[in-house]
C-alpha cells in the first residue's frame, strides 16, 4: 500500500497526487504540517527524509523522497502503458532534463510564493525574475512545439512525468506575483495538462473545461 | 510621445493562433487587461478581464464554447454581447437582462487579433496591407516603453535603407512590418508580419525569433538603467445605474428593435422557420434559454415566439411558426405575408421560462411547435455537457421541425410520432419516472398536453417547483368584481381598489411607479410580496404551491378575497 506524506498546499506533493489520480492508484495520506508547524523539520520526519523536504512516499517498506524521483518510480512501477516515463534512453534523458527544470521552477516560482504567502525569507524579486526567465524559455519551447505538432514538453505524442513535474508551480505562479500574461503558449499547455483524463485539482489550481467535440 | 489611455488607434493584441477553441487568452492594451476568447462559431471576444460580479479575472475562467464561465461563482456570459446568461446562485431565475461585461472592439485580420481602447476610430487595415498573404511571426513581449521598442526596431534597418515609421507604432524594416502593441507604459509586445508565407516556415520563424530575442535583451538592459515609468492607471468605470438597479418599468411595450427577415423556410410540414437579424449585421441582445420575443405583426397584432438559438448565438434569432395556427390573423400573417427581406419590429428577449443548470437530470418534453424553447434549452445543456433528454411528440414524422438542429445534439433526443393521447400519456409517465431529488422537467406544447404532463408529474410525486412550463397569455376570464383595500407597507399608504380596476392601475393613479409588462398575469414582471390578507389569484404565472403559499401575487390581474391586503411596496 502507498502512503503519501503530504501537505495540502504543496505543489510538490500535488505532483504525486496528480500522477496517482491519473494512474488511478489508491493511497493513504499522512498530513504533515509544513506551515506553520514546520513538521517537515521535526525529528520524526527527518528520520524519514534527512533532507527535511516534502513529499515522502512509502510503498510498503520502501521510503522515497524527492517529487521528481517519486514520479519516475510511480510511473515505472505502476504505469502499465509505459507512456509516462518511457524506457527509450533519449526520451528518458529528455524527461529528466525537464525534471531538472521543474526543480528550477520550484526554487524560483515556488520560492516567491513561499515568501509572499508563507513568511519565508526568500528574495522575492530575484525569485520572480528567475521564474520569468524559465517561463520565457518554456513558452518559446512550447510555441515552437505547437508549430511542429508537439503538444507536450517532451517529444512523444503524449504527456510524460516532465509535464506533471513542471505543471504545479507554473499554475501557482500568480501566488508568487508572477503573471503568465506574456506566455501564451505556456498558458495553452496548462489547458492541455488540465484536460488529461484523471486530472485533479488543488487549492489555487482550477479545472479547465472540456475540449471542443465535433 | 507618452501613451494615452484614450488612444483611439487599433493595435494587434494577439495572433489568431493564440486563440484555439475553448481557451481564454490573457492580454493587455494601454494598461487595461483583456480576456480574449474564440467561441465555437469562430467569433473572437475581447472583454475587460474582470467579472463584474466580484472582479475575478475572466482569463482564468472557462471557455464553454459559446459562453464564458467565471471561475469564481460561475456566472456565464454570452459570446458576442458579453451579457450574463446564468447566475448559479439564482438557478431558477433569469438574470437581469442588462448585466453585461465591458467589451472592446475586435477585428481579426492578417493572422492577428486587433483591438482598440475605445470605439472612437473605425478599424482600417494598415497601409499597404492589400494584395499579400501575410504571415505572422512569433510575438515577443518586451519590458521596455513602447516608444523605445519602436526606436529599437527602427535601428534594425541598415544605414542605406532606413526604416519607415508609420502611425500607431508601426515600423517597416526591409520586408517586415513590425507592430508594437502598447501593453503598458513600460511594456510592449512586438508583432511582426511577413508579406508572404516563407518557403521554410520553421527556419524563418526561428530566424526572426532569434533576432527579436537579442533586440529584447538589449532593450531590457537599457530599460533597467532608466527609472521605470509609472504604469498607466486605467479608470474602471462603475457599473452603470442601468445595471445596478431594477428598471422602473421592466419592458415598456414600445421598446422595439427592427430586424430583417434573413431567411424564411419550411422546417417541417406545418412549421415555418424565420431567421431574424439586425439590419447592419450587428449582434442582437442577450437572451437565455427559454426566452421569447414579441413580434409586432404587420396587422397590428403582437405575438410571442420562443427563440430556438443555442448559447452565444446572437447573430440572428431563429423562431418557428406554426402554419395553420388557430390564432386568427396572428401567425397566419407571418406565414402568409411576411417575406425574406421584410422588416419586422420585435421586443428584446424576455424569459418567463428559465432553465436551471444545477439539475442532475433534465427532461425536456415538447409537443409540436413547443419544440422551439426546448431546442434552445437542449443546445445550452449540450454545450455545458450537462445531462438531459429531449422527447419530441409530433402528429407524424413530416411535422417534426428542426431535424438537422436536433440531429447534431449529443444528448438523448427521442422523437415520438403519431401517438394517440393515451399513448403519449403513458410515454410521458415512463420517461419521467418517479420524482428524484434535483430532477427537473420542462414542458412546452398545446394547452391540453401541458395539463396532462402536469397531472402525470403530480401523480408521480414531482413537486411543482420541479415542473416548468410557460404560458404566453392568460386565457382565463378575469373576474374584477371585488372591491377591497390595499395597504402598501413601505409606502405608508392605503388605497381602495374598486370593482373593475386592478391593483396595478390603482397604485399608478396614486403616483407610484410599479414595473409591469404583459398586464394579463402571464409574464411575472409585477410579482409582489404579500404580507397579510388572502389573495384571489387569477394569473397563470405562479404555480399551485406558490399560489397556495399566499405570500406573493401578480398585481395586474389578481385581487383580494379578504377586505384588505398588505403588500410589500
Amino acid at each position: 500500500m502507498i502512503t503519501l506524506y503530504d501537505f495540502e498546499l504543496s505543489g510538490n506533493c500535488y505532483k504525486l497526487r496528480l500522477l496517482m489520480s491519473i494512474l488511478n492508484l489508491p493511497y493513504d495520506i499522512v498530513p504533515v504540517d509544513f506551515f506553520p508547524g514546520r513538521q517537515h523539520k521535526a525529528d520524526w520526519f527527518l528520520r524519514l527524509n534527512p533532507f527535511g523536504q516534502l513529499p515522502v512516499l512509502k510503498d510498503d517498506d520502501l521510503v522515497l523522497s524527492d517529487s521528481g524521483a517519486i514520479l519516475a518510480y510511480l510511473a515505472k512501477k505502476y504505469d502499465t502503458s509505459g507512456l509516462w516515463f518511457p524506457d527509450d534512453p533519449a526520451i528518458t534523458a529528455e524527461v529528466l532534463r525537464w525534471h531538472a527544470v521543474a526543480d528550477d521552477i520550484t526554487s524560483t516560482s515556488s520560492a516567491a510564493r513561499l515568501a509572499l504567502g508563507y513568511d519565508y525569507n526568500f528574495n522575492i524579486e530575484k525569485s520572480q525574475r528567475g521564474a520569468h526567465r524559465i517561463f520565457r524559455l518554456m513558452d518559446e519551447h512550447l510555441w515552437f512545439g505547437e508549430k511542429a505538432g508537439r503538444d507536450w514538453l517532451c517529444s512523444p505524442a503524449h504527456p510524460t512525468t516532465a509535464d506533471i513535474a513542471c505543471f504545479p508551480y507554473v499554475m501557482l505562479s500568480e501566488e508568487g506575483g508572477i503573471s503568465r500574461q506574456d506566455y501564451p503558449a505556456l498558458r495553452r499547455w496548462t489547458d492541455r495538462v488540465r484536460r488529461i483524463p484523471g486530472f485533479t485539482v488543488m487549492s489555487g489550481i482550477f479545472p479547465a473545461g472540456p475540449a471542443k467535440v465535433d | 510621445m507618452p501613451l494615452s489611455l484614450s488612444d483611439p488607434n487599433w493595435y494587434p493584441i494577439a495572433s489568431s493562433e493564440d486563440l484555439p477553441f475553448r481557451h481564454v487568452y490573457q492580454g493587455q492594451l494601454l494598461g487595461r487587461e483583456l480576456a480574449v476568447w474564440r467561441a465555437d462559431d469562430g467569433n473572437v471576444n475581447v472583454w475587460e478581464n474582470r467579472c463584474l460580479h466580484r472582479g475575478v479575472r475572466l482569463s482564468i475562467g472557462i471557455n464553454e464554447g459559446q459562453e464564458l464561465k467565471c471561475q469564481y461563482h460561475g456566472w456565464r456570459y454570452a459570446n458576442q454581447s458579453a451579457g450574463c446568461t446564468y447566475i448559479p446562485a439564482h438557478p431558477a431565475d433569469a438574470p437581469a437582462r442588462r448585466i453585461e461585461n465591458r467589451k472592446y472592439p475586435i477585428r481579426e485580420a492578417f493572422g492577428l487579433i486587433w483591438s482598440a481602447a475605445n470605439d472612437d476610430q473605425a478599424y482600417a487595415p494598415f497601409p499597404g496591407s492589400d494584395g499579400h498573404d501575410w504571415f505572422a511571426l512569433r510575438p515577443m513581449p518586451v519590458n521596455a516603453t513602447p516608444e523605445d521598442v519602436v526606436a529599437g526596431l527602427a535601428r534594425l534597418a541598415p544605414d542605406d535603407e532606413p526604416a519607415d515609421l508609420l502611425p500607431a507604432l508601426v515600423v517597416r524594416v526591409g520586408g517586415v512590418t513590425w507592430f508594437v502593441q502598447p501593453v503598458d507604459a513600460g511594456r510592449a509586445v512586438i508583432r511582426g508580419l511577413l508579406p508572404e508565407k516563407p518557403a521554410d516556415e520553421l527556419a524563418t520563424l526561428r530566424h526572426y525569433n532569434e533576432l527579436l530575442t537579442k533586440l529584447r535583451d538589449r532593450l531590457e538592459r537599457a530599460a533597467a538603467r532608466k527609472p521605470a515609468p509609472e504604469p498607466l492607471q486605467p479608470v474602471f468605470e462603475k457599473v452603470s445605474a442601468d445595471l445596478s438597479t431594477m428598471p422602473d418599468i421592466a419592458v415598456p411595450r414600445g421598446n422595439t428593435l427592427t430586424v430583417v427577415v434573413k431567411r424564411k423556410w419550411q422546417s417541417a410540414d406545418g412549421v415555418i422557420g424565420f431567421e431574424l437579424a439586425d439590419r447592419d449585421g450587428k449582434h442582437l441582445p442577450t437572451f437565455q434559454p427559454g426566452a421569447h420575443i414579441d413580434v409586432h405583426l404587420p396587422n397590428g397584432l403582437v405575438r410571442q415566439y420562443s427563440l430556438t438559438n443555442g448559447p452565444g448565438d446572437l447573430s440572428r434569432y431563429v423562431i418557428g411558426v406554426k402554419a395553420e395556427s388557430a390564432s386568427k390573423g396572428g401567425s397566419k400573417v407571418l406565414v402568409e405575408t411576411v417575406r425574406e427581406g421584410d422588416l419586422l419590429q420585435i421586443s428584446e428577449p424576455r424569459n418567463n421560462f428559465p432553465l436551471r443548470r444545477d439539475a442532475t437530470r433534465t427532461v425536456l418534453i415538447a409537443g409540436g411547435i413547443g419544440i422551439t424553447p426546448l431546442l434552445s434549452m437542449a443546445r445550452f445543456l449540450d454545450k455545458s455537457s450537462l445531462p438531459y433528454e429531449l422527447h419530441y411528440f409530433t402528429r407524424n414524422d413530416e411535422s417534426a421541425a428542426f431535424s438537422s438542429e436536433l440531429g447534431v445534439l449529443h444528448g438523448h433526443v427521442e422523437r415520438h410520432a403519431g401517438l394517440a393521447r393515451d399513448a403519449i400519456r403513458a410515454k410521458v409517465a415512463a420517461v419521467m419516472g418517479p420524482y428524484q431529488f434535483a430532477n427537473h422537467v420542462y414542458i412546452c406544447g398545446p394547452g391540453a398536453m401541458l395539463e396532462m404532463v402536469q397531472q402525470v408529474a403530480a401523480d408521480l410525486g414531482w413537486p411543482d417547483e420541479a415542473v416548468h412550463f410557460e404560458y404566453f397569455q392568460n386565457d382565463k376570464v378575469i373576474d374584477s368584481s371585488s372591491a377591497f383595500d390595499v395597504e402598501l407597507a413601505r409606502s405608508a399608504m392605503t388605497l381602495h381598489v374598486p370593482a373593475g380596476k386592478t391593483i396595478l392601475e390603482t397604485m399608478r393613479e396614486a403616483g407610484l411607479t410599479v414595473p409591469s409588462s404583459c398586464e394579463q398575469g402571464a409574464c411575472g414582471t409585477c410579482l409582489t410580496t404579500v404580507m397579510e390578507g388572502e389573495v384571489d389569484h387569477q394569473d397563470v404565472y405562479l404555480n399551485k404551491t406558490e399560489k397556495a403559499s399566499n405570500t406573493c401575487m401578480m398585481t395586474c390581474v389578481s385581487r383580494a378575497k379578504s377586505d384588505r391586503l398588505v403588500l410589500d411596496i
Side-chain angles (χ1 to χ4, degrees):
Chain A
M1 187 60 195
I2 298 173
T3 303
L4 174 66
Y5 290 78
D6 182 57
F7 178 59
E8 196 180 326
L9 301 178
S10 155
N12 279 328
C13 295
Y14 166 64
K15 292 173 188 176
L16 305 187
R17 279 180 263 133
L18 180 51
L19 184 63
M20 289 193 284
S21 171
I22 291 167
L23 297 178
N24 201 15
L25 282 178
Y27 61 95
D28 288 332
I29 278 185
V30 175
V32 180
D33 182 5
F34 171 89
F35 181 87
R38 290 183 61 81
Q39 283 293 304
H40 60 302
K41 302 298 180 191
D43 289 344
W44 71 270
F45 189 85
L46 291 173
R47 268 175 233 125
L48 281 171
N49 178 13
F51 290 93
Q53 286 171 335
L54 283 167
V56 163
L57 183 129
K58 254 168 78 171
D59 194 358
D60 294 329
D61 296 329
L62 182 67
V63 179
L64 300 169
S65 57
D66 181 77
S67 59
I70 301 171
L71 284 176
Y73 168 79
L74 289 171
K76 283 185 89 80
K77 178 141 188 207
Y78 293 106
D79 167 30
T80 46
S81 73
L83 298 176
W84 285 96
F85 196 84
D87 265 341
D88 179 274
I91 296 171
T92 303
E94 224 184 316
V95 172
L96 290 177
R97 203 274 155 271
W98 285 102
H99 277 207
V101 174
D103 289 338
D104 291 341
I105 299 172
T106 300
S107 62
T108 53
S109 175
S110 166
R113 174 175 177 257
L114 289 176
L116 282 175
Y118 299 79
D119 277 349
Y120 270 70
N121 188 23
F122 293 137
N123 184 330
I124 296 172
E125 211 180 306
K126 187 169 163 238
S127 304
Q128 290 172 337
R129 260 203 320 274
H132 279 297
R133 194 181 64 81
I134 300 168
F135 289 178
R136 273 184 170 174
L137 291 169
M138 286 181 83
D139 187 71
E140 185 178 52
H141 176 73
L142 288 162
W143 194 90
F144 281 101
E146 284 178 352
K147 282 281 162 198
R150 173 174 54 71
D151 277 345
W152 309 100
L153 289 173
C154 298
S155 45
H158 52 77
T160 62
T161 57
D163 299 287
I164 305 285
C166 291
F167 174 75
Y169 289 119
V170 167
M171 278 308 282
L172 294 168
S173 72
E174 298 269 2
E175 293 184 16
I178 301 148
S179 163
R180 296 188 295 282
Q181 185 184 296
D182 283 344
Y183 316 112
L186 185 69
R187 292 185 77 253
R188 289 194 289 276
W189 166 77
T190 66
D191 275 10
R192 294 195 285 272
V193 174
R194 287 182 290 163
R195 287 181 181 139
I196 294 172
F199 176 80
T200 186
V201 294
M202 69 167 275
S203 297
I205 297 184
F206 305 109
K212 184 169 181 261
V213 280
D214 294 306
Chain B
M1 51 171 182
L3 296 179
S4 159
L5 281 169
S6 51
D7 181 348
N9 285 308
W10 286 72
Y11 295 101
I13 56 158
S15 302
S16 288
E17 60 197 14
D18 280 328
L19 307 177
F21 291 120
R22 306 299 178 105
H23 176 72
V24 189
Y25 174 90
Q26 184 182 11
Q28 191 168 330
L29 182 63
L30 294 161
R32 296 171 179 92
E33 254 197 55
L34 307 170
V36 186
W37 63 285
R38 188 188 298 279
D40 283 0
D41 64 8
N43 179 60
V44 175
N45 297 283
V46 180
W47 296 353
E48 186 172 301
N49 193 12
R50 191 172 67 117
C51 175
L52 46 77
H53 176 222
R54 291 290 178 203
V56 163
R57 284 192 171 101
L58 290 172
S59 58
I60 65 166
I62 294 179
N63 174 349
E64 290 202 318
Q66 294 288 94
E67 292 176 324
L68 187 66
K69 174 178 164 182
C70 176
Q71 197 72 257
Y72 200 19
H73 296 102
W75 287 34
R76 313 293 207 286
Y77 297 98
N79 174 40
Q80 294 194 313
S81 71
C84 181
T85 49
Y86 185 65
I87 298 176
H90 302 278
D93 302 325
R97 201 160 34 87
R98 291 201 182 89
I99 298 181
E100 211 169 89
N101 253 312
R102 161 121 206 199
K103 47 187 189 283
Y104 292 96
I106 146 83
R107 199 56 77 96
E108 184 166 15
F110 318 116
L112 299 175
I113 307 296
W114 305 76
S115 187
N118 49 55
D119 294 303
D120 293 354
Q121 198 169 294
Y123 170 82
F126 64 91
S129 60
D130 265 4
H132 296 284
D133 180 18
W134 294 95
F135 178 78
L137 299 171
R138 178 171 183 251
M140 182 64 62
V142 184
N143 291 316
T145 65
E147 49 267 52
D148 284 351
V149 175
V150 168
L153 285 164
R155 283 195 300 272
L156 292 176
D159 290 343
D160 56 344
E161 202 188 323
D164 260 348
L165 293 177
L166 305 174
L169 308 177
V170 182
V171 185
R172 203 166 275 154
V173 182
V176 193
T177 307
W178 300 106
F179 301 86
V180 175
Q181 170 193 349
V183 173
D184 207 330
R187 294 163 59 209
V189 179
I190 305 172
R191 300 183 183 276
L193 287 183
L194 298 183
E196 319 293 337
K197 197 175 271 195
D200 187 341
E201 290 184 24
L202 212 53
T204 307
L205 289 169
R206 290 234 180 246
H207 164 74
Y208 283 106
N209 186 59
E210 211 170 292
L211 181 87
L212 288 186
T213 303
K214 284 180 181 150
L215 174 64
R216 177 196 70 193
D217 292 348
R218 286 201 300 277
L219 288 167
E220 291 192 346
R221 277 197 299 274
R225 288 192 292 269
K226 294 199 239 178
E230 256 329 284
L232 294 173
Q233 300 290 341
V235 178
F236 294 104
E237 287 155 35
K238 273 201 172 152
V239 173
S240 66
D242 224 23
L243 256 171
S244 55
T245 54
M246 276 292 287
D248 286 344
I249 303 290
V251 188
R253 276 286 180 210
N255 187 14
T256 56
L257 311 161
T258 305
V259 290
V260 60
V261 178
K262 268 261 150 84
R263 197 157 76 93
K264 175 185 177 185
W265 74 102
Q266 179 115 19
S267 175
D269 190 14
V271 181
I272 310 296
F274 285 87
E275 182 179 319
L276 312 173
D278 181 84
R279 275 181 299 179
D280 306 321
K282 292 189 188 134
H283 71 76
L284 294 164
T286 313
F287 67 95
Q288 300 112 26
H292 68 268
I293 49 170
D294 292 345
V295 177
H296 297 251
L297 299 165
N299 62 356
L301 287 176
V302 178
R303 284 288 175 270
Q304 284 80 36
Y305 296 98
S306 296
L307 301 181
T308 63
N309 298 49
D313 179 15
L314 301 178
S315 309
R316 72 248 162 87
Y317 291 151
V318 174
I319 58 173
V321 179
K322 197 174 167 189
E324 83 266 53
S325 175
S327 76
K328 297 169 214 76
S331 296
K332 203 166 169 240
V333 172
L334 259 182
V335 169
E336 288 175 7
T337 68
V338 174
R339 289 160 307 173
E340 288 182 3
D342 283 357
L343 298 181
L344 282 175
Q345 295 290 111
I346 63 168
S347 71
E348 288 193 14
R350 275 199 301 272
N351 197 359
N352 300 336
F353 197 23
L355 172 71
R356 299 181 69 115
R357 303 196 201 179
D358 58 350
T360 54
R361 177 166 174 249
T362 302
V363 184
L364 310 172
I365 297 178
I369 194 64
I371 187 64
T372 51
L374 301 185
L375 172 58
S376 176
M377 290 182 179
R379 285 168 149 174
F380 273 77
L381 294 165
D382 209 71
K383 274 285 180 210
S384 299
S385 307
L386 293 168
Y388 68 91
E389 47 201 276
L390 170 59
H391 295 271
Y392 181 16
F393 294 87
T394 54
R395 217 174 312 135
N396 48 46
D397 285 327
E398 292 70 41
S399 57
F402 300 107
S403 296
S404 53
E405 289 84 350
L406 292 166
V408 297
L409 296 172
H410 301 90
H412 180 84
V413 178
E414 225 178 291
R415 292 181 186 78
H416 311 277
L419 295 186
R421 199 170 153 69
D422 286 348
I424 295 178
R425 190 187 178 97
K427 187 80 219 170
V428 167
V431 159
M432 289 180 65
Y435 175 71
Q436 285 178 332
F437 180 70
N439 283 9
H440 288 269
V441 63
Y442 297 79
I443 321 134
C444 190
M449 184 181 183
L450 239 65
E451 273 155 38
M452 184 269 281
V453 179
Q454 285 179 62
Q455 190 55 52
V456 170
D459 293 346
L460 289 165
W462 288 61
D464 284 346
E465 62 268 22
V467 182
H468 307 262
F469 50 89
E470 174 184 39
Y471 282 104
F472 282 124
Q473 56 201 68
N474 190 350
D475 293 330
K476 292 183 189 165
V477 180
I478 307 296
D479 174 5
S480 59
S481 60
S482 59
F484 52 94
D485 285 340
V486 283
E487 200 177 311
L488 307 177
R490 288 198 211 196
S491 314
M493 211 182 254
T494 302
L495 303 173
H496 180 70
V497 182
K501 204 164 257 183
T502 68
I503 301 179
L504 192 69
E505 286 164 350
T506 311
M507 290 193 292
R508 290 212 172 124
E509 277 172 18
L512 290 164
T513 308
V514 209
S516 77
S517 174
C518 76
E519 302 195 4
Q520 50 171 301
C523 77
T525 308
C526 65
L527 180 75
T528 301
T529 302
V530 177
M531 300 162 82
E532 265 181 67
E534 198 185 340
V535 182
D536 172 20
H537 292 289
Q538 304 201 41
D539 64 282
V540 289
Y541 179 80
L542 298 172
N543 67 30
K544 257 188 266 168
T545 315
E546 289 163 339
K547 283 178 181 166
S549 76
N550 204 51
T551 56
C552 51
M553 72 181 298
M554 315 312 304
T555 56
C556 65
V557 289
S558 298
R559 309 180 66 84
K561 284 183 182 162
S562 48
D563 295 340
R564 178 173 152 271
L565 279 181
V566 182
L567 303 180
D568 186 21
I569 284 185

